[in-house]
PDB file of all heavy atoms in Angstrom:
ATOM      1  N   ALA L  39      28.680  -2.117 -15.337  1.00  0.00           N
ATOM      2  CA  ALA L  39      29.742  -3.005 -14.901  1.00  0.00           C
ATOM      3  C   ALA L  39      31.141  -2.370 -15.050  1.00  0.00           C
ATOM      4  O   ALA L  39      32.087  -3.078 -15.403  1.00  0.00           O
ATOM      5  CB  ALA L  39      29.680  -4.343 -15.665  1.00  0.00           C
ATOM      6  N   LEU L  40      31.217  -1.093 -14.801  1.00  0.00           N
ATOM      7  CA  LEU L  40      32.522  -0.412 -14.875  1.00  0.00           C
ATOM      8  C   LEU L  40      33.297  -0.547 -13.587  1.00  0.00           C
ATOM      9  O   LEU L  40      34.501  -0.826 -13.607  1.00  0.00           O
ATOM     10  CB  LEU L  40      32.298   1.082 -15.191  1.00  0.00           C
ATOM     11  CG  LEU L  40      31.660   1.421 -16.575  1.00  0.00           C
ATOM     12  CD1 LEU L  40      31.402   2.892 -16.677  1.00  0.00           C
ATOM     13  CD2 LEU L  40      32.546   0.933 -17.709  1.00  0.00           C
ATOM     14  N   HIS L  41      32.616  -0.305 -12.450  1.00  0.00           N
ATOM     15  CA  HIS L  41      33.320  -0.379 -11.181  1.00  0.00           C
ATOM     16  C   HIS L  41      32.291  -0.495 -10.069  1.00  0.00           C
ATOM     17  O   HIS L  41      31.167   0.025 -10.183  1.00  0.00           O
ATOM     18  CB  HIS L  41      34.173   0.893 -10.965  1.00  0.00           C
ATOM     19  CG  HIS L  41      34.831   0.904  -9.635  1.00  0.00           C
ATOM     20  ND1 HIS L  41      35.992   0.222  -9.331  1.00  0.00           N
ATOM     21  CD2 HIS L  41      34.492   1.551  -8.431  1.00  0.00           C
ATOM     22  CE1 HIS L  41      36.323   0.441  -8.063  1.00  0.00           C
ATOM     23  NE2 HIS L  41      35.439   1.216  -7.551  1.00  0.00           N
ATOM     24  N   TYR L  42      32.683  -1.263  -9.047  1.00  0.00           N
ATOM     25  CA  TYR L  42      31.836  -1.365  -7.889  1.00  0.00           C
ATOM     26  C   TYR L  42      32.695  -1.719  -6.685  1.00  0.00           C
ATOM     27  O   TYR L  42      33.547  -2.594  -6.741  1.00  0.00           O
ATOM     28  CB  TYR L  42      30.767  -2.467  -8.090  1.00  0.00           C
ATOM     29  CG  TYR L  42      29.886  -2.691  -6.882  1.00  0.00           C
ATOM     30  CD1 TYR L  42      29.003  -1.669  -6.433  1.00  0.00           C
ATOM     31  CD2 TYR L  42      29.887  -3.878  -6.202  1.00  0.00           C
ATOM     32  CE1 TYR L  42      28.180  -1.876  -5.370  1.00  0.00           C
ATOM     33  CE2 TYR L  42      29.083  -4.101  -5.105  1.00  0.00           C
ATOM     34  CZ  TYR L  42      28.211  -3.075  -4.667  1.00  0.00           C
ATOM     35  OH  TYR L  42      27.393  -3.291  -3.588  1.00  0.00           O
ATOM     36  N   THR L  43      32.522  -0.969  -5.594  1.00  0.00           N
ATOM     37  CA  THR L  43      33.217  -1.257  -4.351  1.00  0.00           C
ATOM     38  C   THR L  43      32.385  -2.172  -3.479  1.00  0.00           C
ATOM     39  O   THR L  43      31.391  -1.717  -2.869  1.00  0.00           O
ATOM     40  CB  THR L  43      33.532   0.051  -3.614  1.00  0.00           C
ATOM     41  OG1 THR L  43      34.257   0.938  -4.491  1.00  0.00           O
ATOM     42  CG2 THR L  43      34.387  -0.218  -2.358  1.00  0.00           C
ATOM     43  N   ALA L  44      32.721  -3.421  -3.478  1.00  0.00           N
ATOM     44  CA  ALA L  44      31.943  -4.415  -2.710  1.00  0.00           C
ATOM     45  C   ALA L  44      32.109  -4.227  -1.237  1.00  0.00           C
ATOM     46  O   ALA L  44      33.227  -3.915  -0.744  1.00  0.00           O
ATOM     47  CB  ALA L  44      32.361  -5.839  -3.140  1.00  0.00           C
ATOM     48  N   ARG L  45      31.034  -4.417  -0.493  1.00  0.00           N
ATOM     49  CA  ARG L  45      31.042  -4.251   0.960  1.00  0.00           C
ATOM     50  C   ARG L  45      31.146  -5.580   1.703  1.00  0.00           C
ATOM     51  O   ARG L  45      31.139  -5.592   2.908  1.00  0.00           O
ATOM     52  CB  ARG L  45      29.809  -3.475   1.430  1.00  0.00           C
ATOM     53  CG  ARG L  45      29.756  -2.030   0.985  1.00  0.00           C
ATOM     54  CD  ARG L  45      28.575  -1.339   1.585  1.00  0.00           C
ATOM     55  NE  ARG L  45      27.294  -1.847   1.072  1.00  0.00           N
ATOM     56  CZ  ARG L  45      26.712  -1.287   0.018  1.00  0.00           C
ATOM     57  NH1 ARG L  45      27.256  -0.270  -0.655  1.00  0.00           N
ATOM     58  NH2 ARG L  45      25.537  -1.780  -0.408  1.00  0.00           N
ATOM     59  N   GLY L  46      31.222  -6.679   0.983  1.00  0.00           N
ATOM     60  CA  GLY L  46      31.328  -7.987   1.642  1.00  0.00           C
ATOM     61  C   GLY L  46      31.434  -9.049   0.564  1.00  0.00           C
ATOM     62  O   GLY L  46      31.415  -8.773  -0.645  1.00  0.00           O
ATOM     63  N   TRP L  47      31.580 -10.277   1.006  1.00  0.00           N
ATOM     64  CA  TRP L  47      31.782 -11.361   0.046  1.00  0.00           C
ATOM     65  C   TRP L  47      30.562 -11.623  -0.770  1.00  0.00           C
ATOM     66  O   TRP L  47      30.677 -12.004  -1.950  1.00  0.00           O
ATOM     67  CB  TRP L  47      32.233 -12.659   0.772  1.00  0.00           C
ATOM     68  CG  TRP L  47      31.139 -13.244   1.652  1.00  0.00           C
ATOM     69  CD1 TRP L  47      30.897 -12.997   2.959  1.00  0.00           C
ATOM     70  CD2 TRP L  47      30.180 -14.197   1.256  1.00  0.00           C
ATOM     71  NE1 TRP L  47      29.851 -13.724   3.415  1.00  0.00           N
ATOM     72  CE2 TRP L  47      29.369 -14.525   2.392  1.00  0.00           C
ATOM     73  CE3 TRP L  47      29.904 -14.879   0.029  1.00  0.00           C
ATOM     74  CZ2 TRP L  47      28.343 -15.429   2.334  1.00  0.00           C
ATOM     75  CZ3 TRP L  47      28.855 -15.782   0.025  1.00  0.00           C
ATOM     76  CH2 TRP L  47      28.075 -16.043   1.155  1.00  0.00           C
ATOM     77  N   ARG L  48      29.384 -11.370  -0.237  1.00  0.00           N
ATOM     78  CA  ARG L  48      28.149 -11.548  -1.032  1.00  0.00           C
ATOM     79  C   ARG L  48      28.074 -10.509  -2.132  1.00  0.00           C
ATOM     80  O   ARG L  48      27.734 -10.840  -3.274  1.00  0.00           O
ATOM     81  CB  ARG L  48      26.928 -11.461  -0.102  1.00  0.00           C
ATOM     82  CG  ARG L  48      26.780 -12.663   0.834  1.00  0.00           C
ATOM     83  CD  ARG L  48      25.520 -12.532   1.667  1.00  0.00           C
ATOM     84  NE  ARG L  48      25.399 -13.698   2.564  1.00  0.00           N
ATOM     85  CZ  ARG L  48      24.376 -13.826   3.417  1.00  0.00           C
ATOM     86  NH1 ARG L  48      23.423 -12.908   3.487  1.00  0.00           N
ATOM     87  NH2 ARG L  48      24.337 -14.896   4.174  1.00  0.00           N
ATOM     88  N   ASP L  49      28.348  -9.281  -1.787  1.00  0.00           N
ATOM     89  CA  ASP L  49      28.377  -8.238  -2.798  1.00  0.00           C
ATOM     90  C   ASP L  49      29.393  -8.539  -3.889  1.00  0.00           C
ATOM     91  O   ASP L  49      29.116  -8.394  -5.106  1.00  0.00           O
ATOM     92  CB  ASP L  49      28.719  -6.863  -2.165  1.00  0.00           C
ATOM     93  CG  ASP L  49      27.492  -6.243  -1.553  1.00  0.00           C
ATOM     94  OD1 ASP L  49      26.403  -6.787  -1.699  1.00  0.00           O
ATOM     95  OD2 ASP L  49      27.623  -5.172  -0.952  1.00  0.00           O
ATOM     96  N   ARG L  50      30.554  -9.001  -3.475  1.00  0.00           N
ATOM     97  CA  ARG L  50      31.594  -9.287  -4.433  1.00  0.00           C
ATOM     98  C   ARG L  50      31.198 -10.456  -5.353  1.00  0.00           C
ATOM     99  O   ARG L  50      31.461 -10.468  -6.534  1.00  0.00           O
ATOM    100  CB  ARG L  50      32.902  -9.625  -3.716  1.00  0.00           C
ATOM    101  CG  ARG L  50      34.125  -9.728  -4.599  1.00  0.00           C
ATOM    102  CD  ARG L  50      35.412  -9.855  -3.837  1.00  0.00           C
ATOM    103  NE  ARG L  50      35.735  -8.623  -3.150  1.00  0.00           N
ATOM    104  CZ  ARG L  50      35.611  -8.404  -1.874  1.00  0.00           C
ATOM    105  NH1 ARG L  50      35.172  -9.337  -1.084  1.00  0.00           N
ATOM    106  NH2 ARG L  50      35.931  -7.215  -1.344  1.00  0.00           N
ATOM    107  N   ALA L  51      30.558 -11.482  -4.775  1.00  0.00           N
ATOM    108  CA  ALA L  51      30.133 -12.620  -5.585  1.00  0.00           C
ATOM    109  C   ALA L  51      29.053 -12.201  -6.598  1.00  0.00           C
ATOM    110  O   ALA L  51      29.129 -12.623  -7.758  1.00  0.00           O
ATOM    111  CB  ALA L  51      29.590 -13.710  -4.649  1.00  0.00           C
ATOM    112  N   LEU L  52      28.090 -11.401  -6.142  1.00  0.00           N
ATOM    113  CA  LEU L  52      27.058 -10.915  -7.081  1.00  0.00           C
ATOM    114  C   LEU L  52      27.637 -10.083  -8.177  1.00  0.00           C
ATOM    115  O   LEU L  52      27.240 -10.153  -9.345  1.00  0.00           O
ATOM    116  CB  LEU L  52      25.973 -10.131  -6.326  1.00  0.00           C
ATOM    117  CG  LEU L  52      25.081 -10.957  -5.370  1.00  0.00           C
ATOM    118  CD1 LEU L  52      24.191 -10.044  -4.563  1.00  0.00           C
ATOM    119  CD2 LEU L  52      24.247 -11.929  -6.183  1.00  0.00           C
TER     120      LEU L  52
END
Side-chain angles (χ1 to χ4, degrees):
L40 297 175
H41 176 79
Y42 178 65
T43 304
R45 292 186 291 269
W47 67 270
R48 291 183 179 178
D49 277 358
R50 189 172 290 106
L52 290 173

